[in-house]
Amino acid sequence: MTTPNNQQTDYISPTPTMTPAERQWQKLWQDIEDAGGRYQYIQQQMLQHGFMVERKPIDTMSPKERERYKKSLKKEAAEEKTLKKMAWQAYKAQHIVYLGRHIYWSDDTSIDKWDAKDASNRLIENKLPLISKHTQLASAVNLTVPQLKGLCYQREVATNIPYTHFTINKRNGTPRQIWSPIPRLKFVQHWILENILNNLMTHGAAHGFVRGKSIITNAAVHTNSTLLIKLDVKDFFPSVHWRRVKGVFRHAGYPEQIATLLALLCTESPRQMVQQNGKTYYVALSDRALPQGAPTSPALTNIVCVNLDRRLTGLADKMGLRYCRYADDLTFSLPANSNSTKNTVQPADHNQLIGQLLGSVHKVLREEGFNLNNDKTRVIRMGNQHTVTGMVVNGEGVPRVPRKIKRMLRASLHNLASDHLLRDGETLETLSGYAAWIASAEPELGQRYLKKIEALRDQGKLSEAKSHTKADVVA
């Protein structure tokens, strides 16, 4: 596992602190707006400072007068050029202007034909913040306009990006790339999640990262099954590109500019780190997409997958199956006991049912912009242990933690109580985590384990075990 890089990070709750130069440009832009615009401001300044030259015919001028007149005109032009440059810099400091290659941006906020009908009413109905200008968005997330632009700007090659990179190992041992936002961006993404995404519609089949749902509710759908089919979507987050994310915000009722900024704040290009002359460069490998590690990514996939979930639910119902999705894990099951005429599939016909299902799921996923990871397709038949998102769902009882986990936890706590050492790979955090996991499914049993851990901690057993693991003894 690689450790996060040493990029400069920012404080968790940002404040729109401006530099002296930014304050200067802000004041200048305010003066420009008070004057009625850049042209009016320039004309006003030219008159106030005496730079405006009265136009006269040069036919009646002497050579010396003509020379002085030309010099005054040149001075006027130079002063006007300086004022125009300053006005443009003030404009850029308070506006977005440009966000990088392949990112369309216009400061024109007038209504376009792609705006949602009754957009304001749609925002109000969904209890979403009414934001129509970039300055309103910057203020809502405690950023200055330059800070907002900096987080949204698309750089093909960068020496500094608003994400830290590290890897964690998957269950099969291969590394999973994690791009975690720096605290400033994470604050903004949490604001988007809490104020916008959590108020948008998701399908009932989605259980991952949905309020009131969990791995237990996901597993509970598939209790007492004769057949369990577990599928996995390949490259789930990277498959959701920033334009699809922008479509989510457009459909919610936000105008073009705000939807663009929100989409850029929630996405990042997959990057490769390149070392050259002792310097690290982050090179974009493809278009921006949802990063694994951003708090907004799971909620956005649930919203993007509403139509996918709707179609797969209809497919499952037609075939007499049950369906649910937890992030990129798709699960179908054939219930054991049902009076429905749909559920008359005999074990001998299971292979035909599986073939029809897989072919249809492949087709639906492709049409919805995803692909199936064939290497992770699992078919579990009657007589084997059925697990869904880590929970055992055999029989009609509630989902439960696998027996081997309970045995392992019970043995570890017994060893600690007997002054024995923790086994290799065990930590106090994992033991507490297992106990909390059991408590989420079987509260009475889980609470007993949690009380045992607390009792051992009070006796000082856990603090001793922390410094006397087997690994320490070997070292």
Side-chain angles (χ1 to χ4, degrees):
M1 172 175 165
T2 62
T3 56
N5 59 34
N6 294 322
Q7 281 189 148
Q8 181 181 0
T9 57
D10 207 342
Y11 32 82
I12 293 177
S13 180
T15 55
T17 305
M18 290 184 288
T19 65
E22 288 174 344
R23 289 195 200 93
Q24 178 185 355
W25 294 126
Q26 185 185 53
K27 184 179 182 306
L28 178 55
W29 182 249
Q30 186 60 54
D31 292 341
I32 292 172
E33 286 190 323
D34 292 342
R38 281 184 286 171
Y39 175 79
Q40 291 84 350
Y41 172 80
I42 291 169
Q43 297 301 308
Q44 184 184 88
Q45 292 296 308
M46 293 288 288
L47 288 171
Q48 285 182 1
H49 294 87
F51 298 140
M52 195 74 74
V53 177
E54 183 183 353
R55 277 10 183 210
K56 300 177 182 178
I58 60 173
D59 297 343
T60 58
M61 294 183 184
S62 65
K64 288 185 178 181
E65 289 175 334
R66 190 180 298 135
E67 188 65 27
R68 284 195 299 270
Y69 182 65
K70 287 182 178 179
K71 285 182 178 180
S72 62
L73 289 177
K74 287 180 179 179
K75 183 179 180 181
E76 178 194 74
E79 295 294 344
E80 186 176 12
K81 183 178 180 180
T82 300
L83 287 169
K84 284 182 178 179
K85 183 178 180 180
M86 292 180 63
W88 173 242
Q89 288 176 324
Y91 179 88
K92 288 196 298 181
Q94 296 300 307
H95 294 78
I96 301 298
V97 182
Y98 181 66
L99 286 171
R101 290 183 60 196
H102 309 304
I103 306 294
Y104 170 76
W105 178 264
S106 171
D107 285 329
D108 181 10
T109 58
S110 58
I111 297 175
D112 63 49
K113 65 178 182 179
W114 304 111
D115 286 334
K117 293 182 179 179
D118 299 324
S120 296
N121 291 336
R122 187 174 295 189
L123 293 174
I124 294 171
E125 289 172 0
N126 289 321
K127 299 180 181 179
L128 304 181
L130 297 174
I131 298 174
S132 59
K133 298 180 180 179
H134 68 279
T135 51
Q136 293 173 330
L137 177 60
S139 177
V141 295
N142 293 345
L143 296 176
T144 63
V145 172
Q147 288 172 341
L148 175 63
K149 182 179 178 180
L151 292 178
C152 295
Y153 198 90
Q154 170 61 18
R155 298 169 179 83
E156 301 301 315
V157 179
T159 56
N160 190 31
I161 58 174
Y163 287 84
T164 55
H165 173 258
F166 58 95
T167 61
I168 58 175
N169 289 331
K170 301 179 184 178
R171 281 182 293 183
N172 61 6
T174 58
R176 184 191 300 275
Q177 305 294 325
I178 303 295
W179 293 89
S180 179
I182 63 172
R184 171 182 285 174
L185 178 56
K186 184 175 288 188
F187 172 87
V188 175
Q189 290 176 343
H190 272 296
W191 185 93
I192 295 172
L193 175 64
E194 294 167 6
N195 292 277
I196 299 177
L197 300 180
N198 283 344
N199 293 325
L200 296 180
M201 183 184 69
T202 59
H203 194 274
H207 288 258
F209 311 97
V210 177
R211 286 175 176 174
K213 295 187 178 182
S214 65
I215 59 173
I216 298 175
T217 62
N218 183 68
V221 174
H222 303 286
T223 57
N224 197 26
S225 302
T226 60
L227 183 65
L228 191 66
I229 304 166
K230 298 161 66 174
L231 310 175
D232 182 87
V233 180
K234 186 177 182 180
D235 298 328
F236 188 49
F237 286 170
S239 297
V240 182
H241 294 254
W242 82 274
R243 288 177 182 83
R244 294 184 74 178
V245 177
K246 178 181 173 181
V248 168
F249 294 112
R250 287 288 270 159
H251 187 262
Y254 286 107
E256 168 75 18
Q257 289 77 11
I258 301 304
T260 297
L261 293 174
L262 291 171
L264 294 174
L265 288 168
C266 296
T267 57
E268 177 56 67
S269 291
R271 294 183 181 270
Q272 180 177 355
M273 290 182 289
V274 178
Q275 297 285 340
Q276 186 173 5
N277 299 326
K279 205 168 187 178
T280 301
Y281 295 89
Y282 300 88
V283 182
L285 301 178
S286 61
D287 207 357
R288 295 174 76 102
L290 294 181
Q292 183 99 27
T296 47
S297 294
L300 279 164
T301 55
N302 284 337
I303 298 166
V304 167
C305 288
V306 166
N307 197 53
L308 170 67
D309 290 332
R310 184 183 294 120
R311 294 181 66 183
L312 291 182
T313 298
L315 173 66
D317 186 62
K318 183 178 180 181
M319 301 180 72
L321 301 173
R322 298 174 295 193
Y323 161 76
C324 65
R325 180 180 58 81
Y326 193 95
D328 56 353
D329 293 327
L330 314 179
T331 308
F332 296 84
S333 65
L334 181 65
N337 299 321
S338 176
N339 296 323
S340 172
T341 56
K342 299 175 184 177
N343 295 303
T344 58
V345 181
Q346 300 300 317
D349 300 323
H350 284 179
N351 288 341
Q352 181 180 355
L353 176 69
I354 294 167
Q356 291 175 349
L357 175 67
L358 293 180
S360 298
V361 171
H362 267 287
K363 180 176 182 295
V364 172
L365 283 175
R366 283 197 305 270
E367 292 174 352
E368 295 296 329
F370 297 100
N371 289 294
L372 202 60
N373 187 346
N374 294 319
D375 294 336
K376 290 189 176 183
T377 297
R378 298 288 182 269
V379 177
I380 309 172
R381 301 177 188 271
M382 197 74 169
N384 297 305
Q385 186 181 74
H386 290 182
T387 59
V388 177
T389 48
M391 310 296 292
V392 178
V393 294
N394 293 81
E396 296 182 353
V398 296
R400 52 213 177 271
V401 175
R403 191 174 299 169
K404 65 179 181 179
I405 299 296
K406 299 175 187 176
R407 287 173 176 170
M408 179 276 297
L409 179 58
R410 185 168 62 248
S412 297
L413 295 180
H414 176 75
N415 288 339
L416 284 175
S418 303
D419 295 327
H420 294 159
L421 303 177
L422 289 175
R423 292 175 295 184
D424 289 339
E426 286 183 346
T427 66
L428 306 178
E429 289 75 14
T430 57
L431 295 183
S432 296
Y434 285 132
W437 180 21
I438 295 171
S440 67
E442 302 172 67
E444 186 176 338
L445 178 60
Q447 286 301 322
R448 287 207 303 268
Y449 286 134
L450 288 170
K451 287 179 181 179
K452 285 184 180 180
I453 293 174
E454 190 61 34
L456 290 170
R457 181 178 284 112
D458 292 340
Q459 296 170 20
K461 301 282 187 180
L462 298 186
S463 60
E464 293 174 8
K466 193 172 185 178
S467 57
H468 292 90
T469 62
K470 286 185 179 181
D472 293 328
V473 172
V474 172

